[in-house]
Amino acid sequence: IIAQSKEGFILVDQHAAQERVRYEKFQKLFKEPSSIIDLLIPMVIELPLNEFQIVVSNMELLEKLHIKAEVFGSNAIKITQIPYYFKRIDLEVYVDDVINHIVTNKKVDETILMDYAIATAACKASLKANTYLTQMDMEVIISDLFKCADPYTCPHGRPTMVKYSKYELEKFFKR
């Protein structure tokens, strides 16, 4: 997105910008106890035995992420509840990412895992690069972005925008 400001212009990464907006929104929603819904069709995830054992020993972490899971058979878990704001994301990819994070980190820090889960959900729910946007869509993204506590980076640390001042533009064109 290319936007004009009093000082020059701004290039906005539409994915990173929407990811920041959703991240801050999901952080607030995460604290709501009523944010959990039942899945109409539970999601079953089969795991290799070693990963299954790690996940089972960390089920309370999933619960703290508002993901209700239970053992299902000898090497699978069944997801029965999720936060309601996850309905717009690819739930299977999200759960796989969270499980992979639990499995690959021997000592899982609850706070880091929660932040990782919220950032992952925000990323999965955001626009992808090259998605066509109307003028109104762009204005909403920019307006929402500047309402954020930290509008300058996405949750993963990438910049959401690059600013060019009038002076920099004039210098670029040797004026």
Side-chain angles (χ1 to χ4, degrees), residues 2-174:
I2 301 174
Q4 182 179 333
S5 72
K6 291 177 185 174
E7 297 84 30
F9 78 92
I10 305 168
L11 295 175
V12 179
D13 178 329
Q14 65 191 31
H15 172 77
Q18 193 175 57
E19 186 176 351
R20 166 52 65 181
V21 170
R22 290 180 189 260
Y23 173 75
E24 291 191 15
K25 178 183 176 185
F26 287 177
Q27 280 184 315
K28 290 175 186 159
L29 292 172
F30 190 81
K31 295 173 185 167
E32 294 178 13
S34 63
S35 68
I36 301 169
I37 59 169
D38 292 326
L39 290 175
L40 188 59
I41 301 170
M43 184 172 76
V44 176
I45 300 174
E46 289 190 38
L47 299 162
L49 188 57
N50 62 330
E51 291 181 14
F52 172 76
Q53 291 169 336
I54 293 169
V55 171
V56 168
S57 67
N58 287 285
M59 291 287 244
E60 72 282 353
L61 284 174
L62 291 176
E63 189 96 25
K64 288 178 181 177
L65 296 174
H66 307 298
I67 299 172
K68 175 84 167 149
E70 52 193 59
V71 173
F72 188 74
S74 59
N75 68 329
I77 60 169
K78 179 171 65 170
I79 309 292
T80 58
Q81 293 179 332
I82 59 166
Y84 75 87
Y85 51 89
F86 283 9
K87 61 187 173 200
R88 291 188 177 164
I89 69 170
D90 184 340
L91 184 61
E92 193 166 333
V93 172
Y94 169 76
V95 172
D96 283 345
D97 282 353
V98 170
I99 287 173
N100 189 45
H101 187 81
I102 291 170
V103 168
T104 57
N105 293 287
K106 301 249 187 250
K107 176 79 174 116
V108 180
D109 180 290
E110 184 180 314
T111 306
I112 292 172
L113 181 61
M114 283 186 201
D115 188 64
Y116 174 82
I118 293 168
T120 300
C123 182
K124 303 296 180 200
S126 296
L127 292 166
K128 302 305 174 219
N130 302 319
T131 300
Y132 174 78
L133 299 173
T134 65
Q135 180 75 28
M136 182 179 268
D137 293 336
M138 291 183 246
E139 289 173 7
V140 167
I141 289 172
I142 291 170
S143 172
D144 290 348
L145 180 62
F146 282 103
K147 292 176 188 168
C148 290
D150 178 12
Y152 301 105
T153 62
C154 80
H156 301 104
R158 292 185 300 273
T160 57
M161 67 185 90
V162 178
K163 295 180 179 182
Y164 290 95
S165 70
K166 184 177 177 189
Y167 172 77
E168 289 172 306
L169 292 171
E170 287 172 347
K171 188 175 162 186
F172 181 74
F173 289 105
K174 301 184 191 288

